[in-house]
Amino acid sequence: MVTTDADSLILTTVRELVAERVAPRAAEIDESGAFPMDVKELFAQNDLLGIPIPPEYGGLGGTFLTYVKVVEEIAKACASSSLIVAVQELGMLPILIGGTEEQKHRYLPKLASGEWIAAYALTESTSGSDAAGSMRTRAERRGDTYVLNGTKIWITHGGLADVVCVFAVTDPTKGPKGISAFVVEKGFAGFNVGKKERKMGIRGSPTVELNFNDCIVPAGNLLGTEGEGFKIAMQVLDKSRPGIAAQALGIAAGALEYATNYAKERVAFGKPIGQHQGVGFMLADMKTQVEAARLLLYEAARRCDEGAPDVTLWAAMAKLMCGDVAMAVTTDAVQVLGGFGYSAEYPVERMMRDAKITQIYEGTQQIQRLVISRSLVGKASKGTPS
Ligand code: CAA
C-alpha cells in the first residue's frame, strides 16, 4: 500500500509532468482531435495508469484518493489527457471486480503498465441511461465460446483499446440479471471498430462505435458468472464516477485559476477588473463552488478506499456536484474574460466545451439524482410514474 508520503510524491511528480509536458500540448490536442500517444507513454512511464490497482496485478497499490487527485491535477490543464488515466481505470475495474485470479493476472499487469489500452463498453444507441432495460447486444453460448452480436456506441478509447470489457444479454427473459460481462481482445474475430464521433469537447479522447458480428469470445473470458454482468457494471461505475468528478473538478479549478489571474491583470475603469465587485463576487462564488466540490469528492474517494456500504450514493453526489460546478465555473470564467473568453486563443473556451461532457457521461446528472433519491426513499415499484 502506498503511504501518504508516497502519495504526495506522486502528486508532486504529476504537477511537474503536467506543467512541462501536458499543459503546453493542451490547445493543440484539442485542435487536432488526435489522441496524444506521447502523453499516454509519459503516464505509463510514471506508473500513473494503475494507481489503485494492487501491486500483485502490476499496479501501484495507491488509494482512490490519490487516483482522483491525479486525475484532477491533469484535468486542470487538459481534460482529454486526464481521460487517459480515468478510462484506463474504468476499463480495468470490471476485471478487478469480477475477474478470476487467472483473468486478473492475464490482463491487469499489461493494462496497469500501459502496455495495453483498456475500454468499457456498456452504452448502446437505445440504451444510455436505461443501461439494463434497453440493452440489445446478445451473447450466446456455443460450446467453449460465446458469440457476441450487437453495437456499442460512445466508447471512449474503444478504437485504441487492446482489451474491451463488454456487457451483453445472455438471457433476455431475466432483465438486469440476464446481462453478462466479457473481456474482448481487439484481435478476436468479428470485433470491429466503427465510426468516430465528432464532439464538442474532450476532442483528444477518441470516442467510437464498436461492432460485434458473430464475434467469438472464449468462455474463459466471461467475468463472474452468467447474469452477474450488470451488477459488475454498476459496481465499476461506483468507483469510476469519482474519476469523472475529479476530471470535472480539475477543469473547474483550471478555469478559476486562469480567470483569477486575468482579473488581476486586466484593467478597466482605472483598476484591475477583479477589484470591481461585479467580477470579484463572481470569482468568490467560483472559488467557493470549487472548494465545496473538492471536499465532497475527496470524501467520496475516501469512502471508496474504505469500502463503505454507501459508495453508490457518494459517487453519484460527487459526480453531480463536480459536473455542475465545472459547467458553472467554466461558463463564468468565459464571462470574466469577456470577448477573449469566447476566443479559442484563450483556454477557458476549451475548458467550457470540455466541462459539458462531465454532466452527461458515466450517467447523466439526471441519473445521478435518480441514484441519490433512490438511496433516500427507495426505488418506485414497476409501473409507478417517476
Ligand atoms: N452496485 C451493485 N448492484 C447494483 C448497483 C450498484 N451500484 N446498482 C444497481 N445494482 C443492482 C440492483 O441491486 C439490482 O439487483 P437486484 O434486483 O438483485 O436488487 C440490479 O442491479 C438492477 O438495478 P436497478 O433496479 O436499480 O436498475 P434500473 O434499471 O432501475 O436502474 C440505473 C439502474 C441506476 C438507472 C443504471 O441503469 C444507470 O446507472 N444508468 C446510467 C448508465 C451509465 O452510467 N452509463 C455510463 C456509460 S460509461 C461512460 O460513460 C464512460 C465514458 O465514456 C468515459
Side-chain angles (χ1 to χ4, degrees), residues 64-291:
F64 266 93
L65 186 57
T66 303
Y67 160 70
V68 297
K69 288 180 180 180
V70 166
V71 173
E72 176 192 342
E73 252 349 285
I74 302 167
K76 282 179 189 169
C78 179
S80 291
S81 296
S82 72
L83 273 180
I84 297 173
V85 174
V87 173
Q88 192 74 350
E89 213 56 59
L90 173 68
M92 278 191 278
L93 282 170
I95 302 172
L96 187 67
I97 289 170
T100 60
E101 279 304 307
E102 187 278 321
Q103 288 168 331
K104 289 179 196 176
H105 284 289
R106 184 158 27 124
Y107 291 113
L108 293 178
K110 284 199 170 85
L111 294 168
S113 70
E115 183 185 340
W116 282 1
I117 293 179
Y120 172 95
L122 178 68
T123 305
E124 302 180 7
S125 60
T126 53
S127 108
S129 292
D130 184 13
S134 304
M135 190 179 288
R136 298 282 171 269
T137 297
R138 287 294 310 270
E140 283 177 69
R141 177 93 193 214
R142 283 194 212 151
D144 286 343
T145 64
Y146 283 89
V147 180
L148 266 60
N149 278 289
T151 299
K152 297 286 177 180
I153 63 164
W154 296 114
I155 308 307
T156 308
H157 301 171
L160 303 162
D162 299 278
V163 162
V164 186
C165 290
V166 181
F167 299 88
V169 177
T170 38
D171 186 341
T173 66
K174 290 189 176 160
K177 289 193 171 60
I179 292 172
S180 303
F182 301 90
V183 183
V184 175
E185 294 180 28
K186 76 170 173 199
F188 286 179
F191 170 52
N192 295 296
V193 177
K195 77 165 173 136
K196 181 180 164 192
E197 298 296 336
R198 292 176 62 228
K199 306 191 301 278
M200 173 191 283
I202 52 160
R203 288 171 37 78
S205 178
T207 310
V208 297
E209 179 182 277
L210 297 180
N211 298 306
F212 303 89
N213 298 312
D214 287 332
C215 173
I216 310 289
V217 179
N221 281 30
L222 173 73
L223 292 173
T225 56
E226 261 192 36
E228 248 189 321
F230 191 67
K231 196 172 155 205
I232 295 171
M234 294 296 109
Q235 287 173 328
V236 167
L237 292 174
D238 287 345
K239 298 217 153 157
S240 65
R241 282 175 181 158
I244 294 305
Q247 180 193 37
L249 175 65
I251 297 170
L256 170 63
E257 188 183 334
Y258 199 90
T260 304
N261 289 335
Y262 181 86
K264 283 196 234 171
E265 282 171 16
R266 169 79 181 189
V267 172
F269 305 103
K271 58 183 175 184
I273 59 169
Q275 288 173 11
H276 288 289
Q277 203 176 70
V279 174
F281 279 18
M282 280 175 81
L283 294 170
D285 285 345
M286 290 155 76
K287 172 75 175 162
T288 307
Q289 290 175 77
V290 165
E291 296 304 338

